[in-house]
Amino acid sequence: MNTTDQPGRDTREYRYIDSDKLFSSYREDLARRSVETVAIDLEAEFNLHVYGEHFCLLQIFDGHQEALVDPRAVSMDLLRAFLEDRNLLKITYDSASDRALLFRTQNIRMRGILDLRPAVELLKFGKQGLSAVLEETLGIVPAGGKKKYQQYNWMRRPLDPGAIVYALEDVRHLFALQQHLFALLQEKGLLERYILENLKVQDQDPQTGRRPGFLRTRRFQNLSARDQAFLEAIYEVREGYARQENLPPDRMLPNRTLLDILEGRVSLDSLRPGKGVSAGAFASMIGEMARLRK
């Protein structure tokens, strides 16, 4: 058993699960205690520190005990069985991006979801991020340094103690938040409407196959067909080298620079590799882009 121990924060025990044996034991413990509802969240890498999207951490709270599960050390088949279990209710907050990530990267369809975000939307909260909602409803002020851990590298091991506090706080209060929001929904006669909206969350297919946001902007749409084709082509070249070097695409060559190349504000031969980018790979990428320009 581990503990969180941060200045000014409470100290709590949590389970750190980084093997199939520990995860199987954890599930057996849930069954033995007849746990039918848990709060869950996950942390992921989205092209911030390495290339691509990665499922990095699963946080679970059963109302009494917190757990952190390392998906890089636990069999994905075991995690799939847990996340797709229809008999285990999973309280979440704004699960759309998590569901999409799990489906895109692991072909997991999370089931048995009780997503609290539709309740907040029905109740017309002014600020609908989880931290703002917790502060407004339960008076819970976000932990210090929260912004810092929004940029944290969740692929690192061991996890920073502050990152552990940050991750666990995203599930620690979901049971209490659910009770508070359901009382408000009942009071306003919106509970049945919420049930319907939550069912819609489960019915929606996770978003996959969408074009990158960079290629869906109004600026891109306003380009000529020829310029769109060239920008897409150099974008794909950049993606290929970023994947090869396992670097965030923007570190290989920022999106804004791709636009500068298209619009003639910078020349390809004036570009130089950024920090951590192989000179050889960069030169090869620029050469490939130059051939597309001809």
Side-chain angles (χ1 to χ4, degrees), residues 236-259:
E236 290 302 327
V237 169
R238 189 276 308 269
E239 289 293 300
Y241 280 92
R243 185 183 302 110
Q244 171 187 301
E245 299 298 303
N246 195 28
L247 289 172
D250 249 31
R251 191 186 303 174
M252 201 72 198
L253 201 65
N255 285 341
R256 65 178 179 274
T257 304
L258 298 181
L259 282 165

Side-chain angles (χ1 to χ4, degrees), residues 133-152:
V133 171
L134 287 172
E135 189 167 358
E136 182 173 343
T137 57
L138 304 178
I140 295 168
V141 179
K146 193 171 180 69
K147 186 174 182 180
K148 168 186 174 182
Y149 291 107
Q150 290 171 347
Q151 303 291 314
Y152 184 72

Side-chain angles (χ1 to χ4, degrees), residues 212-232:
F214 177 63
L215 301 179
R216 289 186 280 112
T217 62
R218 179 171 296 179
R219 187 173 183 180
F220 177 81
Q221 297 301 325
N222 288 337
L223 296 173
S224 68
R226 180 178 179 180
D227 283 350
Q228 285 185 4
F230 176 69
L231 188 57
E232 285 191 73

Side-chain angles (χ1 to χ4, degrees), residues 9-10 12 38-41 59-66 91-93 116 130-143 146 164-182:
R9 311 298 301 176
D10 57 350
R12 298 197 187 196
V38 294
I40 71 167
D41 188 36
Q59 303 100 275
I60 310 171
F61 178 49
D62 64 18
H64 300 282
Q65 186 182 86
E66 297 162 340
I91 305 173
T92 68
Y93 190 87
L116 300 181
L130 179 58
S131 294
V133 171
L134 287 172
E135 189 167 358
E136 182 173 343
T137 57
L138 304 178
I140 295 168
V141 179
K146 193 171 180 69
I164 292 172
V165 172
Y166 170 92
L168 289 174
E169 285 211 337
D170 280 346
V171 294
R172 179 173 292 169
H173 308 295
L174 290 183
F175 278 90
L177 180 61
Q178 182 242 317
Q179 292 176 2
H180 187 95
L181 292 176
F182 273 34

Side-chain angles (χ1 to χ4, degrees), residues 16 19 30 33-34 41 91-92 95 99 128 130 135 147 158 171-172 181 196 201-202 232-233 237 244 254 261 278:
Y16 188 78
S19 72
L30 291 180
R33 292 188 287 119
S34 301
D41 188 36
I91 305 173
T92 68
S95 64
R99 292 172 60 244
Q128 299 188 355
L130 179 58
E135 189 167 358
K147 186 174 182 180
V171 294
R172 179 173 292 169
L181 292 176
L196 177 59
V201 170
Q202 338 262 329
E232 285 191 73
V237 169
Q244 171 187 301
I261 293 167
S278 157

Side-chain angles (χ1 to χ4, degrees), residues 150-205:
Q150 290 171 347
Q151 303 291 314
Y152 184 72
N153 183 357
W154 293 102
M155 299 186 75
R156 288 175 54 186
R157 297 295 183 272
L159 293 166
D160 182 87
I164 292 172
V165 172
Y166 170 92
L168 289 174
E169 285 211 337
D170 280 346
V171 294
R172 179 173 292 169
H173 308 295
L174 290 183
F175 278 90
L177 180 61
Q178 182 242 317
Q179 292 176 2
H180 187 95
L181 292 176
F182 273 34
L184 291 176
L185 290 167
Q186 184 72 50
E187 178 185 318
K188 296 179 180 296
L190 292 170
L191 189 55
E192 290 185 357
R193 174 73 183 277
Y194 165 75
I195 292 170
L196 177 59
E197 294 302 318
N198 182 60
L199 288 173
K200 289 179 182 178
V201 170
Q202 338 262 329
D203 291 341
Q204 293 172 353
D205 287 331

